[in-house]
Amino acid sequence: MQRTLATIAVALLAGLSPLEASEVAVSATQITSFGDTGLDGRVGRLAFRGGLALVAQDDTFGGLSGLTTTGPDQHVSFVTDRGSFVAGQLAYDDTDRLFGLIGVTVEPIRNSKGDPLPRQYAKDAESIDTIYRSGIPVGVRVGFEHLTRVADFALTDGVPGGAAREVELPGWLDDLRTNGSLESVCIAPQAPPSPARPCC
């Protein structure tokens, strides 16, 4: 009887998934070149400003896919192909060079019922963009592949979470069930007013 109870307890513990964001210590190494191009060098029409290689001992961290700015002072959020939101703040040194990601939290992405996504093929988040209202970030939109869908999530102090709000997709896209179905999502800005036409 004791063995049976112990087995049940282990099974219950193994099935638990954290619903709240957990803090994760992340170490960063600066990337100072892009191919043959160094810092501030030109890559086509862009200037390379640097990058980061991020490592954490926590196995909930990793598989980063999309990135968006979600708050002031360089607060950013990633999605992962493991079904998580990773949020933190980009840190810069005295020369305005990116050198780290601080205050990092990892939280499971949830379904429309508020539960963590149940299976790996449903967790494959590939892209994220920020939803703004009157210039203020109020949510994020996330694109998934494998089980192709798009969903919106609330933002609290720059950190995404809460229950998913599904976004309707056209049937031809909704029916796709492959690893290469939906790699990017973006929200178009409001169209500016049409310029006045010259008269006469």
Side-chain angles (χ1 to χ4, degrees), residues 3-57:
R3 183 177 179 182
T4 303
L5 289 175
T7 302
I8 292 172
V10 170
L12 288 173
L13 288 172
L16 290 177
S17 296
L19 290 180
E20 300 301 323
S22 58
E23 293 186 13
V24 174
V26 175
S27 60
T29 302
Q30 288 178 303
I31 298 172
T32 57
S33 63
F34 185 86
D36 296 329
T37 304
L39 293 172
D40 299 324
R42 305 295 295 185
V43 181
R45 297 174 62 185
L46 303 175
F48 175 65
R49 293 280 295 149
L52 294 175
L54 303 173
V55 177
Q57 297 302 313

Side-chain angles (χ1 to χ4, degrees), residues 148-149 167-177:
T148 305
R149 64 208 189 280
V167 175
E168 187 175 355
L169 297 177
W172 64 266
L173 181 57
D174 192 41
D175 291 340
L176 294 177
R177 294 291 183 267

